Amino acid sequence: MALSAIFLMIFLIIHLAINFLSVFSPGLFNEASHFMGTNPLIQFGLQPVLLVGVLFHFIMGFVLEIKNKKARSTAYVKNNGAANSSWVSRNMIWSGAAILAFLALHFYDFWAPEINIKYFKGDMSGLLNPADVNSDFRYYQELVHKFADPVRVIAYVVAFVFLALHLLHGFASAFQSMGVSSIRKKQIQMGAKIYSIVLPLGFIFIAVYHYFNH
Amino acid sequence: MNLTLKIWRQKDSKTKGQMVDYKVTDISEHMSFLEMMDVLNEQLFAQGEEPVAFDHDCREGICGMCSMYINGEAHGPDRGITTCQLHMRMFNDGDTITIEPFRAAAFPVIKDLVVDRSAFDRIQQAGGYISVNTSGNTQDANSIPISKHAADEAMDAATCIGCGACVASCKNSSAMLFVGAKVSQYALLPQGQVEAADRVKNMVAQMDLEGFGNCTNTGACEVECPKGISLENIARMNRELLKASI
Ligand code: HEM
Ligand code: SF4
Ligand code: FES
């Protein structure tokens, strides 16, 4: 659980970094997207690892939830969870489920069309018009097109708020699960706050930026 | 003060239980929670009713017997205490207090508020000890130098009284704070090193076998623990388990 979570958190940093290029330079964003989309090491090495990582994380998340529910066969009539623990820590399954719903939309938006164009239609050129070698890369245009729809932008923003909630507990939790000493508690909690707020805000900024700039 | 009590009544482990309302009057704010329960039981006894069964022994916060989930918290609303150390001044005249047994599949209800916590004994028996030859040639423990830091931390872990409040408070009914403390009290000392790997593996295996849930680091146990056992003990147990498994 913790290992897959850390892997996902590192992946998200790279993902955000590349997305940010789309704000500064469409050209650089196109280059990076083309590289990530066509480099065999990334496509056939890292991509399957990522898919397995995501699958493992949420399947184990559900398994964990079911097992832990079973460990209390009779519920309390009155339980004051807020007295001793944070809301985010008690609702990881719900923030996780919201992220999962978002992932379904996100895969439908970007991953499925990408796989279709590259591996089913066999067009590895990454060009807007594959017949014309001088045409632009298609990635930036596709991105801008997706974020023209306000409903989609709102869905993305809501999803990243859930991601922030998930990480506000998950970040430090992952270190504790791996046995990291509480001597580093302060630094880890600080890191958790920075990561789980700045990273989702970054994604939100990009979605909103493209909505308002095109 | 006058109080309304909503108490879980259950005849035995096989019968279905339910919440029953009682009224107690003239409760002194200086009474402990258990003394208030004694007043209720005397009242029930006088009326020819079955008194409420609850666990207790030392009544001074060291045996860990008194359980009870009071108004949604193990040992009630105060911090760093057991139920016998909970004072009635934490409540107000006219309050309604909900009293339930500790809930966990691994802690089955025996009667009313009494639960069977022998799962903890079996976890201890799986590795919570050191094997010392007591034939008469035993080395004096004080001849082994131990750093102040390690000694203090081991002592902190050893103050766990096995009350089960950690399990009762945890949304996952996880026993990791208890097991973490019992693993740590030896893991920190040279005497515990010889059996360290087997200890953590066997105790964790027994913990899983008993049907306790898995820790998701909500931290509820640490807040409700009467002895202030810290989450660091769970991290140490995870480290010990990692070390023992690779
Ligand atoms: C892709 C983005 C995601 C990231 C970055 C992420 C991150 C994390 C982190 C850091 C943890 C803590 C690990 C630990 O305590 O050992 C965690 C736990 C968990 N995650 Fe995720 N997660 C993501 C997606 C999901 C999804 C899609 C689900 C689906 C239900 C999910 C469900 C859970 C559950 C149930 C836990 C365990 C509860 C807990 O430890 O408190 N996560 N996640
Ligand atoms: S760790 Fe604390 S709450 Fe858990 S059994 Fe020990 S003393 Fe009780
Ligand atoms: S009766 Fe012994 S700790 Fe409460």
Side-chain angles (χ1 to χ4, degrees):
Chain A
M1 203 71 216
L3 278 180
S4 61
I6 296 221
F7 174 74
L8 291 176
M9 290 194 294
I10 295 171
F11 160 76
L12 283 185
I13 296 178
I14 300 167
H15 197 327
L16 179 66
I18 294 176
N19 286 12
F20 247 106
L21 293 177
S22 72
V23 172
F24 298 117
S25 152
L28 265 180
F29 175 75
N30 273 334
E31 293 292 338
S33 300
H34 190 65
F35 171 78
M36 296 302 276
T38 51
N39 183 293
L41 255 180
I42 287 167
Q43 284 294 298
F44 305 112
L46 286 181
Q47 180 166 260
V49 175
L50 177 63
L51 285 175
V52 171
V54 174
L55 277 173
F56 177 87
H57 184 80
F58 79 75
I59 291 173
M60 289 312 283
F62 285 120
V63 170
L64 184 67
E65 176 73 12
I66 292 164
K67 273 174 104 177
N68 286 346
K69 274 259 139 52
K70 253 182 55 193
R72 176 158 294 139
S73 31
T74 314
Y76 287 112
V77 173
K78 183 170 180 183
N79 188 25
N80 187 1
N84 50 39
S85 52
S86 66
W87 186 90
V88 283
S89 75
R90 281 176 280 126
N91 292 283
M92 289 296 276
I93 194 70
W94 298 114
S95 52
I99 302 169
L100 186 61
F102 162 78
L103 282 182
L105 170 69
H106 191 54
F107 270 51
Y108 167 81
D109 276 353
F110 292 99
W111 188 75
E114 204 48 34
I115 295 294
N116 183 31
I117 292 174
K118 287 189 307 211
Y119 302 114
F120 288 94
K121 295 208 177 122
D123 169 19
M124 298 296 283
S125 70
L127 298 176
L128 277 170
N129 177 5
D132 172 10
V133 282
N134 292 321
S135 76
D136 252 347
F137 274 138
R138 58 185 163 81
Y139 310 103
Y140 183 75
Q141 295 251 331
E142 285 169 356
L143 173 83
V144 168
H145 176 72
K146 286 283 183 226
F147 290 115
D149 174 6
V151 177
R152 183 176 276 101
V153 175
I154 290 169
Y156 272 60
V157 170
V158 170
F160 286 120
V161 171
F162 277 106
L163 179 65
L165 295 178
H166 198 71
L167 293 171
L168 272 172
H169 174 67
F171 187 97
S173 178
F175 286 94
Q176 166 82 4
S177 296
M178 292 192 308
V180 174
S181 161
S182 61
I183 295 172
R184 315 219 191 298
K185 199 167 176 173
K186 281 235 152 58
Q187 289 97 314
I188 290 172
Q189 278 172 346
M190 187 49 105
K193 282 220 177 68
I194 295 173
Y195 183 96
S196 51
I197 292 171
V198 171
L199 185 119
L201 262 185
F203 281 112
I204 288 176
F205 171 78
I206 292 165
V208 173
Y209 173 88
H210 287 300
Y211 175 71
F212 283 111
N213 278 278
H214 298 282
Chain B
M1 13 178 180
N2 300 331
L3 303 164
T4 305
L5 308 174
K6 288 183 178 301
I7 304 181
W8 181 261
R9 298 305 307 261
Q10 182 171 339
K11 197 157 160 280
D12 53 43
S13 57
K14 284 171 203 74
T15 321
K16 233 176 97 72
Q18 83 277 350
M19 299 301 283
V20 180
D21 289 7
Y22 298 98
K23 290 228 183 294
V24 284
T25 49
D26 286 335
I27 296 296
S28 154
E29 59 173 7
H30 304 302
M31 279 181 183
S32 79
F33 201 83
L34 296 190
E35 283 165 336
M36 185 277 294
M37 292 297 289
D38 292 338
V39 171
L40 169 70
N41 276 347
E42 274 172 17
Q43 189 178 307
L44 290 177
F45 200 72
Q47 293 163 353
E49 281 183 52
E50 178 89 5
V52 180
F54 61 89
D55 260 331
H56 62 103
D57 187 16
C58 71
R59 297 211 178 197
E60 55 180 355
I62 51 171
C63 74
M65 275 310 278
C66 56
S67 42
M68 296 198 204
Y69 211 68
I70 302 161
N71 276 350
E73 282 183 79
H75 299 142
D78 211 353
R79 292 285 168 261
I81 48 130
T82 52
T83 304
C84 56
Q85 295 172 304
L86 176 65
H87 280 101
M88 292 314 293
R89 55 176 162 270
M90 293 298 293
F91 301 92
N92 300 310
D93 186 35
D95 275 3
T96 298
I97 308 176
T98 308
I99 311 169
E100 299 172 75
F102 281 0
R103 294 285 187 201
F107 286 171
V109 174
I110 297 172
K111 185 182 165 87
D112 296 339
L113 302 172
V114 180
V115 296
D116 179 357
R117 283 169 283 183
S118 56
F120 271 13
D121 299 341
R122 291 187 290 276
I123 293 173
Q124 276 291 70
Q125 284 154 11
Y129 53 79
I130 54 166
S131 307
V132 180
N133 186 345
T134 51
S135 60
N137 306 326
T138 320
Q139 187 186 4
D140 180 17
N142 289 325
S143 66
I144 305 169
I146 299 170
S147 80
K148 170 98 172 84
H149 185 73
D152 283 353
E153 279 200 272
M155 191 62 207
D156 284 348
T159 57
C160 163
I161 52 177
C163 63
C166 41
V167 175
S169 313
C170 175
K171 86 184 223 315
N172 311 316
S173 302
S174 167
M176 288 217 195
L177 194 65
F178 166 75
V179 182
K182 296 300 171 196
V183 164
S184 291
Q185 70 188 39
Y186 296 115
L188 287 156
L189 299 178
Q191 289 92 332
Q193 296 315 309
V194 184
E195 293 154 309
D198 283 348
R199 173 177 308 113
V200 67
K201 280 197 280 191
N202 291 341
M203 289 180 83
V204 168
Q206 187 64 34
M207 171 180 86
D208 291 340
L209 204 66
E210 297 288 350
F212 292 107
N214 293 291
C215 178
T216 59
N217 309 316
T218 67
C221 53
E222 181 183 54
V223 174
E224 300 290 351
C225 172
K227 299 297 154 184
I229 302 293
S230 91
L231 287 182
E232 172 65 5
N233 291 288
I234 299 182
R236 187 180 295 107
M237 178 184 77
N238 290 342
R239 280 204 293 283
E240 288 286 312
L241 189 64
L242 205 65
K243 229 172 28 186
S245 318
I246 53 176

